[in-house]
Amino acid sequence: MTDLITYVLRGIPFGCVFALVAIGLVLTYKTSGVFNLAFGAQAYVSAAVYYDTHVRHKWPIIPAFVLAVLVFGPLVGLVLDRLIFRFMRTAPHVARLVAALGLLVAIPQLVNLWFGQSPSFGVEGIWPSSQGSNFAVYHFGDYALNGDQVATLIATAVVVIGLTALFRFSDIGLRMRAVVESARMTELSGINAGRVGTIAWMLSSLVAGLAGVLLAPLFAQVSATNFTVLIVAAIAAAAFGGLTSIPLTLLGGILLGVAQGLLGGYLPPASVLAQGLRPSLPFVALFLLLIFWPSLRNRREVTDPLAGVDPPPPGLAALERSRGLTWATRIFALIVLAIAIPFVLSSNYWLLLGTEAVILSTIFLSIVVITGMAGQISLCQATFAAIGAFTTAQLVSNYHVSVMITILAGAAMAAVVGALLAIPVLRLGGIYLALATFAFALMFESVLVPLDWVGGGANPIKVPRPKFAGIDFANNKSFFFLCIAILAVVSVLVIFVRGGTIGRYLDALRGSETAAQAIGVNPTRARIIAFSLSAGIAGLGGGLLATQTGIAQPADYNSFLGLFWVVLVVTLGSRTVEGAVQAGVAFYVVDEILKRIGINQSWQPILFGLGAMTYAKHPEGILEFQKRQSLAFVQRHLDRMKRRGAPAEPAGADEAGAVAPTPAQPSSERVGAD
Amino acid sequence: MALLEARDISKRFAGITALDDVSLDVEAGEPVGLIGPNGAGKTTFFNCLLGLLRPDGGRVVFDGRNITRMPVYKRARLGFGRTFQRIELFSGMTVRDHLLVAERAHRGTASLWKDMLNLSRATTEEIEKADATLELLGLLDYANRPIESCGLGRGRLVEVGRALMTEPKLLLLDEPSSGLDRVETEELVTTLQSVQRERGTAILLVEHDVEMVQSFVSRLYVLDFGTLIASGTTAEVLGDATVRKAYLGEYV
């Protein structure tokens, strides 16, 4: 009995930590409508500042705390709001989620540029004590708490009471909620929505800072990964509160902490369950909550009653172009290939990078299918790649099947898992789909990958290169061409599907789900097919990557790497095959360029992370947008030249579309309209 | 037996009775109107017919089949076509694409394998069919235009065309005149009349604009506070004293 109480009590401070972060998430969601996946990264900023000042530079606790939490916390919020989120108050939820995802990738890297990658041990909390906050122990009857735990409990209580009061009794709390419902309506009633939004961001960022400083001592060292993983536990607690209720969120956090304490206490420490389930409990909890928790199941995303006054979303830039121009771009692409391929073949180093870029492009096509075509954000594409890789590896090493067949089996396996996952998860849609897939990715990583029959346990499994049709692909050059051939086949499949029935159903569903249903499109079926196809493509790419590197290594399919993949593809072009290839090439080339000109390579994730902000405005990808813009520009000039050359030509010549403006119209106006 | 039979439809929201035993029939090929003041429950009733809301009581029978619990997309395949009060179009598609995708969707045939082998591009037959409908609606000149270039009036016609491609037996129009001016409304009515004549489609028109309804339908139902207060031929209903008092007021 006393054991039980001890375990429960031990869990409570942990639970408060989860709750604190979760309350911060709920606060941001309530006041800005952004499901802030970067909340952990914001917390990390303050934790790093506190560590740097207090531990490295020996500042006393109070000035360090003031700088880290009271100055840096709101400051980060202010910057994020002014630079990014104020432009997104009327953006769709998914666009805001993508922005937060970009920040999750970019912020920790930005902090590390200054803070350094070097390990930072000996973290101290904010509880004043001569022996360090960890060692100040307070006894309550038979039970003991250390200084950090006491600080966490007090801070949680203050935050919960303060925020509840704010929302219940204060005018600004009411305004914050109004701005989230509809920024425009609020402005119409004479409130400066911009200022309310800024205050909301500063407040939630302050909570993030406080959480960061309180959490730091729980980990052995200050590192961004700890904070980003912690966010998942917090999301689970927030989900328990239906993403709106602060008291329920607190309860959710504490329950999670207690459950973890109980599992830790009662499970034999060496068992599979203890090793797998305990650390992954938050992921499992989140996954199950998203699927079964009634307050989330029946939830509808808030829609702005004034959304109708929005101008229609920017159409894709100039889809119509003349046949000549189309051929010109194709020839241009061939020339680029004709230069790139011999260059890649010129050295072993470039051959390695080139092959990996081609394989990655194949994996990125899976993101084109699910995000570009189906309009859903899935955060477990790296997991599907891992499933492909591990299936390939297991079949090769246990049953000695030919490698090419096992790669296909890996793709099929990933497609099946994708379809099975899609059935419960796709119903959620929007941000919940993204969260559920992320929970699934982390669950897979922490529970299944360490098992012998999945990831091979401590010894990753070797995968040989394929050998068929009389060719041994152990040769790097022939393997490179095999990868290109596979990429070409998958690209053609994707293009066919996009132009086929399913592709058009998905286009229709993206345009208007109700209208698509009203003409007989079964949304669930179309999306399950897309999800499964996407998973299959990722699995195929994963298997290829394993044969390329010669080993199925879990680190290559890390779920945080997967987040970066999504951000990268979304930034560069998620609608087209070229977009995927550009992203695959950029992943290696940008890194390489930064290395050569001597710039810190963490600028790569920073650049692409911040690039994801453009998703709200250009869902087809910023590079794709620029390309279409310039093609439209060329097309206009061609048309104008043609008209000058042959003035007698009938007007029917450009019946194809409104691409060519009449000379009277200023061309800058047309650019937006196209 | 009528094409559409709605029997005793009831719907309550948190204690408020939005619909109280509302019954309505539409015969095959017949244009019928449903009118009522704001908040009368027209949209709720419409959504119950379409399957967007599940009625708390009553049943919907279409073509002899009880479809009360059938999902929206299956109703579409049975022969329900609809337009929206706030137009819902597929951005990024051309006008013709809207019709082509509807032609595919109502058959409910989609196979990934066919798609992957490039066997499911639009056939000449489908394109001809789409163009015939565009012709009927006077949209043929805009077939290749991106939908973003269409204004509200033309957008609504595209919605009608999209619905017609699903070969509906019944066309449900949700306040089609909302947001249109007089001229556009008249054009729409003329087009709808020719559609109804040529295709023999039954039409259920939910409207605010009494004048438009009058010029178009043969029978009329009037809804007020969730109950049916009158039904019958257009002339009868509009002459009815309670209707004039409850709804039309100084309108006429």
Side-chain angles (χ1 to χ4, degrees):
Chain A
M1 191 59 209
T2 45
D3 272 0
L4 178 71
I5 296 174
T6 313
Y7 296 145
V8 168
L9 281 182
R10 202 192 286 159
I12 287 179
F14 269 100
C16 284
V17 166
F18 295 149
L20 200 58
V21 181
I23 288 167
L25 275 177
V26 169
L27 176 67
T28 330
Y29 189 66
K30 263 177 112 156
T31 57
S32 69
V34 176
F35 200 84
N36 190 5
L37 286 175
F39 194 81
Q42 275 173 263
Y44 176 60
V45 175
S46 292
V49 170
Y50 184 76
Y51 182 87
D52 191 65
T53 49
H54 180 57
V55 179
R56 283 192 190 151
H57 292 97
K58 309 277 176 243
W59 288 22
I61 289 175
I62 292 182
F65 178 81
V66 168
L67 182 71
V69 178
L70 302 182
V71 177
F72 259 85
L75 189 68
V76 171
L78 180 69
V79 170
L80 290 183
D81 179 70
R82 289 287 94 187
L83 293 185
I84 299 164
F85 287 106
R86 78 177 158 133
F87 301 110
M88 293 201 177
R89 285 202 230 290
T90 56
H93 282 259
V94 169
R96 295 188 228 180
L97 182 80
V98 169
L101 200 59
L103 289 177
L104 168 70
V105 171
I107 292 181
Q109 302 291 338
L110 264 173
V111 174
N112 284 347
L113 281 181
W114 155 78
F115 186 65
Q117 300 277 10
S118 57
S120 34
F121 295 105
V123 191
E124 278 185 45
I126 55 168
W127 193 255
S129 152
S130 51
Q131 319 96 310
S133 56
N134 251 315
F135 302 101
V137 178
Y138 299 87
H139 291 274
F140 300 91
D142 289 343
Y143 309 105
L145 290 173
N146 70 28
D148 293 324
Q149 290 172 330
V150 175
T152 309
L153 290 179
I154 293 175
T156 311
V158 169
V159 168
V160 169
I161 294 169
L163 290 181
T164 312
L166 179 83
F167 282 121
R168 193 153 296 172
F169 304 116
S170 87
D171 200 33
I172 186 81
L174 190 65
R175 287 179 186 187
M176 284 176 184
R177 280 155 54 196
V179 169
V180 178
E181 286 282 325
S182 167
R184 283 190 213 83
M185 289 275 239
T186 322
E187 295 240 296
L188 284 181
S189 50
I191 290 166
N192 184 343
R195 213 175 61 204
V196 174
T198 310
I199 294 174
W201 268 98
M202 288 171 72
L203 182 67
S204 71
S205 187
L206 176 74
V207 175
L210 181 64
V213 170
L214 287 169
L215 301 187
L218 292 178
F219 306 118
Q221 56 163 313
V222 180
S223 94
T225 323
N226 290 333
F227 284 94
T228 24
V229 171
L230 186 78
I231 195 89
V232 178
I235 296 172
F240 190 80
L243 301 190
T244 46
S245 157
I246 289 178
L248 270 182
T249 303
L250 174 68
L251 183 65
I254 291 177
L255 282 178
L256 204 57
V258 168
Q260 230 169 7
L262 289 176
L263 283 180
Y266 284 112
L267 289 174
S271 71
V272 178
L273 274 181
Q275 309 236 309
L277 187 61
R278 202 171 98 81
S280 67
L281 179 73
F283 319 144
V284 179
L286 174 60
F287 191 72
L288 296 179
L289 275 173
L290 281 172
I291 291 174
F292 297 111
W293 197 239
S295 70
L296 290 175
R297 278 185 63 176
N298 304 325
R299 193 186 164 77
R300 292 230 163 148
E301 281 176 15
V302 181
T303 43
D304 187 344
L306 279 188
V309 305
D310 270 338
L316 298 188
L319 289 158
E320 314 284 345
R321 59 186 84 130
S322 69
R323 186 164 280 193
L325 193 59
T326 310
W327 276 107
T329 50
R330 282 183 194 161
I331 290 166
F332 178 73
L334 279 181
I335 293 172
V336 170
L337 278 183
I339 297 171
I341 290 180
F343 175 71
V344 166
L345 293 176
S346 68
S347 82
N348 251 329
Y349 182 72
W350 283 108
L351 188 57
L352 180 78
L353 287 189
T355 314
E356 289 194 354
V358 171
I359 296 174
L360 207 56
S361 304
T362 314
I363 296 180
F364 287 174
L365 281 174
S366 77
I367 301 175
V368 168
V369 172
I370 193 69
T371 304
M373 283 162 55
Q376 308 284 332
I377 302 286
S378 154
L379 300 180
C380 61
Q381 297 308 104
T383 309
F384 293 134
I387 291 173
F390 296 142
T391 311
T392 305
Q394 294 287 359
L395 288 178
V396 168
S397 70
N398 293 333
Y399 304 102
H400 309 288
V401 190
S402 153
V403 178
M404 211 50 224
I405 293 174
T406 60
I407 289 178
L408 292 177
M413 178 63 110
V416 170
V417 173
L420 291 179
L421 178 66
I423 293 167
V425 157
L426 271 176
R427 204 172 28 87
L428 301 167
I431 64 169
Y432 302 106
L433 173 73
L435 296 180
T437 48
F438 191 46
F440 174 75
L442 292 168
M443 226 157 72
F444 181 82
E445 202 163 70
S446 58
V447 182
L448 292 176
V449 171
L451 300 179
D452 282 343
W453 59 271
V454 182
N459 313 308
I461 316 156
K462 291 202 174 65
V463 188
R465 289 281 174 80
K467 197 190 281 187
F468 70 93
I471 307 170
D472 186 355
F473 290 98
N475 177 321
N476 283 336
K477 281 185 186 168
S478 38
F479 186 68
F480 174 63
F481 284 110
L482 176 68
C483 291
I484 288 195
I486 291 176
L487 174 63
V489 170
V490 177
S491 302
V492 169
L493 285 186
V494 169
I495 290 172
F496 283 172
V497 171
R498 195 177 53 196
T501 314
I502 307 269
R504 278 190 277 159
Y505 285 0
L506 294 173
D507 281 344
L509 284 167
R510 260 205 338 271
S512 161
E513 182 157 347
T514 31
Q517 288 193 43
I519 57 171
V521 174
N522 179 348
T524 323
R525 179 160 181 269
R527 290 204 179 115
I528 288 177
I529 292 176
F531 204 78
S532 174
L533 176 68
S534 159
I537 294 173
L540 180 74
L544 273 180
L545 195 58
T547 48
Q548 151 71 11
T549 52
I551 199 164
Q553 201 145 33
D556 288 341
Y557 311 97
N558 181 295
S559 42
F560 284 96
L561 187 66
L563 296 187
F564 180 49
W565 288 355
V566 173
V567 167
L568 185 65
V569 177
V570 159
T571 308
L572 290 180
S574 60
R575 289 269 165 91
T576 53
V577 169
E578 303 102 275
V581 176
Q582 283 156 5
V585 172
F587 187 82
Y588 291 99
V589 168
V590 172
D591 198 50
E592 204 53 38
I593 291 174
L594 291 177
K595 207 194 291 175
R596 303 242 160 161
I597 58 175
I599 292 178
N600 192 322
Q601 274 145 285
S602 30
W603 278 103
Q604 192 205 20
I606 295 173
L607 275 179
F608 289 119
L610 296 179
M613 309 302 140
T614 59
Y615 179 81
K617 209 156 186 186
H618 306 297
E620 74 271 34
I622 188 74
L623 206 62
E624 181 67 21
F625 174 74
Q626 294 300 342
K627 194 186 79 188
R628 290 181 184 211
Q629 286 282 333
S630 30
L631 280 177
F633 179 78
V634 174
Q635 178 75 64
R636 271 200 304 277
H637 276 263
L638 286 179
D639 287 346
R640 207 170 294 169
M641 271 157 59
K642 206 157 101 191
R643 219 169 292 158
R644 248 178 243 147
E649 186 150 336
D654 52 61
E655 188 216 356
V659 178
T662 53
Q665 260 171 321
S667 60
S668 59
E669 230 174 63
R670 292 297 315 176
V671 172
D674 285 339
Chain B
M1 186 168 40
L3 177 67
L4 176 79
E5 283 177 28
R7 283 284 164 274
D8 307 328
I9 303 288
S10 305
K11 182 74 192 173
R12 280 173 293 277
F13 295 112
I16 297 163
T17 306
L19 290 175
D20 191 11
D21 290 343
V22 178
S23 298
L24 175 150
D25 285 346
V26 182
E27 299 289 338
E30 177 196 33
V32 174
L34 173 66
I35 59 171
N38 271 332
K42 297 189 299 288
T43 305
T44 308
F45 182 68
F46 202 66
N47 286 338
C48 286
L49 289 184
L50 282 161
L52 290 168
L53 284 176
R54 186 155 288 178
D56 296 322
R59 63 194 152 84
V60 183
V61 178
F62 185 71
D63 227 1
R65 282 177 69 173
N66 186 343
I67 59 162
T68 319
R69 289 174 176 278
M70 189 180 267
V72 180
Y73 70 91
K74 282 195 183 159
R75 294 178 198 228
R77 293 178 190 172
L78 272 188
F80 264 61
R82 75 164 292 192
T83 66
F84 296 82
Q85 187 181 349
R86 254 167 59 176
I87 54 174
E88 296 269 355
L89 294 161
F90 306 140
S91 62
M93 283 194 189
T94 64
V95 170
R96 188 189 277 123
D97 281 344
H98 276 76
L99 274 69
L100 288 174
V101 71
E103 159 70 24
R104 269 300 153 75
H106 91 281
R107 298 187 193 286
T109 51
S111 140
L112 185 62
W113 305 113
K114 270 191 176 172
D115 279 9
M116 290 212 266
L117 298 172
N118 204 18
L119 295 175
S120 45
R121 304 248 159 204
T123 61
T124 350
E125 206 176 305
E126 284 173 335
I127 293 174
E128 275 166 11
K129 207 174 147 196
D131 284 358
T133 306
L134 287 174
E135 175 103 70
L136 177 67
L137 299 171
L139 286 173
L140 199 52
D141 289 344
Y142 307 97
N144 289 319
R145 290 277 179 90
I147 197 68
E148 285 83 2
S149 71
C150 292
L152 192 63
R154 200 171 295 145
R156 192 148 279 142
L157 283 177
V158 174
E159 281 198 335
V160 174
R162 181 176 65 190
L164 286 179
M165 289 304 279
T166 65
E167 293 170 6
K169 295 183 182 120
L170 172 67
L171 201 52
L172 298 119
L173 307 173
D174 191 0
E175 306 216 5
S177 75
S178 80
L180 303 188
D181 62 26
R182 272 280 148 230
V183 183
E184 285 174 313
T185 308
E186 276 162 26
E187 277 172 13
L188 183 71
V189 169
T190 327
T191 316
L192 287 175
Q193 277 168 337
S194 61
V195 164
Q196 200 254 330
R197 257 197 326 272
E198 285 191 27
R199 304 261 162 122
T201 313
I203 289 179
L204 177 61
L205 184 67
V206 175
E207 244 317 330
H208 227 74
D209 185 342
V210 181
E211 226 169 288
M212 176 190 178
V213 179
Q214 221 172 338
S215 65
F216 187 60
V217 302
S218 55
R219 279 195 308 126
L220 206 52
Y221 289 84
V222 186
L223 208 55
D224 194 20
F225 292 114
T227 47
L228 218 48
I229 57 168
S231 63
T233 64
T234 313
E236 266 170 37
V237 169
L238 292 179
D240 187 293
T242 39
V243 174
R244 295 182 82 91
K245 198 169 147 210
Y247 172 43
L248 302 169
E250 64 252 14
Y251 242 91
V252 172

